[in-house]
Structure formats: C-alpha cells, structure tokens
Amino acid sequence: MTGGSPPQRVGAPLNSLPALRQEARRLALVHRLPRETAARLVLTVSTLAAGTLRAGLPVTLTHSGPATTGQAVLTLAGLSACAEPGPEDILLAPTHTSPDSASWHIALPEGPQAHLPSPRQGSPTASDIDAYESELRAALAHLDRLERQQQQLEQELSQTNNGVLALYLQLEQREEQLRWAQRKTLLAMEDALRPAAVQVAGLELAVHYAPSDPNAPTGGDLYDWFRMPDGTVHITVVDALGHGIGSTRSALAVTHAVRTLALEGHPLESILAQVDSQLSPIAPGLQATVLLARIDPATGALTLANGSHPPALLLRAQDGTTRYLSVRGRGVGYPLPGSERLRHEVLAPGDLVILYTDGLTESRRDPLEGEARLIAAVRAHAALPLAAIPAAIAADMHTVVLHNDDTLALALRLTPRPHGTPLPDDAADPGQPPAPAPKGRSAERPHGMS
C-alpha cells in the first residue's frame, strides 16, 4: 500500500461487553498484538465503555491498517458522559481522547514472530472464558518470568552481600592487627622514653601519666628524675604548650637542658633562666611551665624552683596537715623567665609530696576547686602503697572532665632508713636521657624501698 491515510474500517455497533471484548480480541489477533497488550486493550475498552453499555447505548470499535506508519490505530467511539474511570483502571492509556471517544496508536511487530498468534480468516468464535484463560496463561507466564528474574537477582544480591561481608570481616581483622601493632609500637616508645628508675634508700617514687589524646604516644607533660653526684635526687616536671608529638619534642628539649645544667653543677635557682637562654634561639615558639625539685634522702631536705607551674602539695604524716609549696617564677619562653627564689622544706619519714601538671587540677576549668579536690584526694589515698597513689588520685580528679588535657601526677615519700646506712652504689646512671611518663599506664612501682 502506498502513501496516504490508512483506510478506516468502521465496525458494527456493539451493544454488550462480551461483544466488545470479542471485537477487541479479534482486532488484536488481526494485528498480531502481543498477548499482554491484547489483554490490556480488552480490559481498558471494557472499563471505558461499561457505563455507556449499561445505559443501553451502543459503542463502536474501529481500526485502521498500518500503511507506512508501522502502527495500528484503534478507536472506541460512542461513549456517553458517564462517570470516568480512575487512572488505576486504565491498563492501556489512550493516545488521544475526546468527550465521546478514545483512540490508541499501537506499534506493530515487524515480521512474523513465533510466540504471537497468526491472523485467521473470519471472525474468531472463541468464548470469553477461553480468551480469559489464554490471557491468564500469558499473564501467569509473564509473572513466572518475573519471579525467576527476581530470584536470580536475589541470589546475585545475596552472593554480593556475602562477598561484601567477607571483605568487611577481612578489613576489620586487618584493622585490629594494625591497632595491635600500633599499641605495641606505642608501648615500645613509652619504654624507650621512660626515665631510669632512681634507687635510693629511704626514698620512694611513683608516677602516673595519661595523654589528652589516647592515640598519641606522648604529650607535652614529661618528667625526669636522676641522682646527682652528691647523692641528692633531682626531679623535673614539664608541661609544654600544645599536644602530641610537637609538644613532646618541646618538653624533651627542656628536660635535656635541665639535666645537662644540673649535672654540670649550676645552682638550682639559675637553671630555668639558663634553659630559656639556650633554647630561645633554636626553638623560638617554645613555651613550657617547669617545676624543679631537689631532695636529699639522708636529711629530708627538699628544695623547689618554679617557673609558672602549679605548686607541689605536701601532706605531713604526723598530723595530716596539707599545704601547697608555692614559689613565684615564670616558665621557659615567658617574659623574664626563671624562679624568683627557692623554697626549702624538711620532710619527715612518711611525708608525702605530690608534683603534677595542670591537667590534674584544671579538668573542670576551675583551678581553685581543683586544688581543693586534690587535697581531698591525697588525704583519701595517702595510706595506699606509694605505687598506687598517683593513679588513684588521677581517677578521683577525673570523675568529671570538662577540659581534656595531658595529666601527670608524681609522688615521692621518705621512708625510715636505719641510722648510718650508706647510700647504694647501684643508683641509676645520671647520664641516662630524660623521658616522658608512659602513655595510658603508670610507672607505679616504688623505687628503692627500704
């Protein structure tokens, strides 16, 4: 057939739904429409024409051939103004609509297809029941295909999920291995930076340290202790500005400089100013508070120098009184650095001295409250073995933490020593380099207990 409009074939009036359905199926058969499309067409025209046919009015279903357009045009005409069906009832949406008609432009298959019915001569005579069964079989077959596809997709998804889960498990195992390796590395770093134990008859020492960042090996709070050539024990407590490795580097520079100057014999009251003079050219941004203590285990003489650091706390064993051993001064990197004077005390056996950094008393942002709570914590735990006292104090002080900071608590106590007992010759090498406190655990063991 050549160009021009396709021929319009006018059908006879249809007065019932069975007749309309039969005609829709015949046209679908003539144009070899897929069964699913045919079923949708039958249900749609029946829905649109139901009101008109119930009113006793006929409708017509006409069609035009494909010509060169590759489409069949089906038109349902004679519709009355009845209640319109909802969109959920329209299984095959019309291409065009008017008040009394609806039409569909349906693309036709190209060439013969084995799974489609071939047109037959004359009008089909199959009953509605046979047609419904055929359409139902086609719908069920389509549903079965969809279910098989869904099962296949679910299986593939399950396999994918299993693979992803296995990958997550492998990644978690690898992460745990890395965490364990990191912990071992941090512990090794702590052991390498830990100062050698000072073993002196009549003197106990213990320390507890916790960084503000649990993942950082150290922080800016460091300590150092060593025995002087004259038998006294020197203790340095440093709190360098900042956190992490950078502050650790600053604090190590301070402790090394203090140790060098102390072992060279410089007076205790001049050491802080000299440390500032040495470090300011090579570390211009360095700032640190420093507390220096010198204790003679034989006589109990305690000497303190301070550079902007929290004061030591003394608890007398005889009467349980406490007081802070304050000394005015300014830290390394501050204007006019150095200790303004020295403070001298004489300790009796059993007297307890606590040296610490501000992370212990300023965890609630109120230093005065922190100092009062520290006194209460020291009194509460003074009867414990010295090895347990620093950690017990820190636990009490950090029941509520509003301001995270590195925390160091160092305790020293004189113990009775028989008269005339000489100092041991196996004391730690004074040339041993200084070190920070261990991360997350305590070097809480007494040194040189009688």
Side-chain angles (χ1 to χ4, degrees):
M1 184 178 296
T2 59
S5 301
Q8 185 76 19
R9 301 180 183 178
V10 179
L14 304 170
N15 298 299
S16 66
L17 283 176
L20 175 62
R21 294 187 185 112
Q22 188 179 54
E23 179 64 9
R25 292 192 181 98
R26 187 188 72 79
L27 296 179
L29 188 64
V30 167
H31 292 294
R32 296 183 300 140
L33 298 183
R35 287 179 180 176
E36 181 181 351
T37 303
R40 289 176 180 273
L41 176 65
V42 170
L43 290 174
T44 299
V45 297
S46 299
T47 300
L48 293 174
T52 302
L53 294 173
R54 278 196 300 267
L57 301 175
V59 297
T60 59
L61 183 62
T62 60
H63 74 106
S64 61
T68 59
T69 63
Q71 292 182 332
V73 180
L74 284 77
T75 302
L76 177 64
L79 300 176
S80 62
C82 301
E84 295 184 359
E88 66 277 2
D89 298 323
I90 305 301
L91 301 180
L92 187 65
T95 307
H96 300 290
T97 60
S98 68
D100 61 351
S101 67
S103 62
W104 293 265
H105 293 199
I106 302 175
L108 300 179
E110 296 180 0
Q113 300 183 26
H115 65 283
L116 297 175
S118 300
R120 296 179 294 176
Q121 298 296 327
S123 300
T125 59
S127 67
D128 274 352
I129 294 178
D130 293 336
Y132 282 142
E133 289 181 352
S134 176
E135 293 165 0
L136 180 60
R137 282 194 296 272
L140 292 176
H142 181 65
L143 180 61
D144 289 340
R145 287 194 300 273
L146 293 178
E147 288 181 348
R148 287 193 296 271
Q149 292 174 0
Q150 182 180 2
Q151 291 176 357
Q152 182 178 359
L153 290 174
E154 289 177 350
Q155 291 175 356
E156 293 175 355
L157 180 61
S158 177
Q159 293 175 355
T160 301
N161 288 340
N162 290 337
V164 172
L165 179 60
L167 179 60
Y168 273 122
L169 291 176
Q170 292 177 1
L171 291 175
E172 188 171 340
Q173 292 174 354
R174 179 63 58 87
E175 185 177 357
E176 178 59 29
Q177 293 172 354
L178 291 175
R179 285 195 296 265
W180 173 245
Q182 183 183 34
R183 285 195 294 269
K184 290 180 64 177
T185 301
L186 297 183
L187 291 176
M189 291 180 65
E190 293 167 9
D191 290 338
L193 296 174
R194 185 195 302 267
V198 179
Q199 299 181 358
V200 178
L203 180 65
E204 293 179 290
L205 293 169
V207 67
H208 171 82
Y209 172 74
S212 60
D213 181 3
N215 296 317
T218 59
D221 292 11
L222 303 187
Y223 73 96
D224 186 25
W225 51 31
F226 53 91
R227 185 178 172 189
M228 298 287 292
D230 61 1
T232 61
V233 174
H234 179 97
I235 301 172
T236 302
V237 177
V238 178
D239 184 356
L241 183 67
H243 301 287
I245 297 297
S247 60
T248 303
R249 185 182 301 110
S250 297
L252 279 172
V254 173
T255 54
H256 276 287
V258 170
R259 176 181 280 241
T260 300
L261 292 169
L263 292 176
E264 287 178 352
H266 293 272
L268 191 65
E269 61 269 23
S270 68
I271 288 180
L272 291 180
Q274 293 186 69
V275 169
D276 181 87
S277 177
Q278 290 183 1
L279 296 181
S280 58
I282 60 176
L286 186 152
Q287 281 188 303
T289 67
V290 187
L291 178 63
L292 306 180
R294 193 75 58 83
I295 176 72
D296 186 346
T299 64
L302 174 67
T303 305
L304 298 169
N306 195 321
S308 304
H309 200 84
L313 176 61
L314 169 63
L315 171 65
R316 292 292 187 182
Q318 183 176 4
D319 55 11
T321 58
T322 59
R323 71 174 184 273
Y324 284 97
L325 308 180
S326 300
V327 184
R328 293 178 60 87
R330 287 157 298 281
V332 176
Y334 289 69
L336 302 175
S339 185
E340 294 185 2
R341 63 181 182 88
L342 298 179
R343 174 141 188 174
H344 301 278
E345 297 286 340
V346 178
L347 304 183
D351 287 351
L352 178 64
V353 178
I354 304 296
L355 313 179
Y356 56 94
T357 57
D358 59 9
L360 189 69
T361 54
E362 296 183 9
S363 61
R364 297 191 184 185
R365 302 181 187 272
D366 186 347
L368 295 180
E369 178 199 7
E371 290 178 357
R373 293 176 61 239
L374 179 58
I375 291 175
V378 170
R379 285 176 172 167
H381 300 295
L384 294 176
L386 191 78
I389 289 178
I393 292 173
D396 278 2
M397 299 297 290
H398 287 168
T399 52
V400 177
V401 178
L402 301 180
H403 174 61
N404 253 348
D405 198 0
D406 301 331
T407 300
L408 185 146
L410 188 152
L412 65 91
R413 181 165 60 192
L414 290 183
T415 58
R417 185 166 58 88
H419 181 68
T421 301
L423 293 175
D425 294 328
D426 58 348
D429 179 9
Q432 181 72 20
K439 170 199 169 190
R441 54 180 183 160
S442 302
E444 294 163 345
R445 57 183 185 277
H447 302 304
M449 293 183 62
S450 298

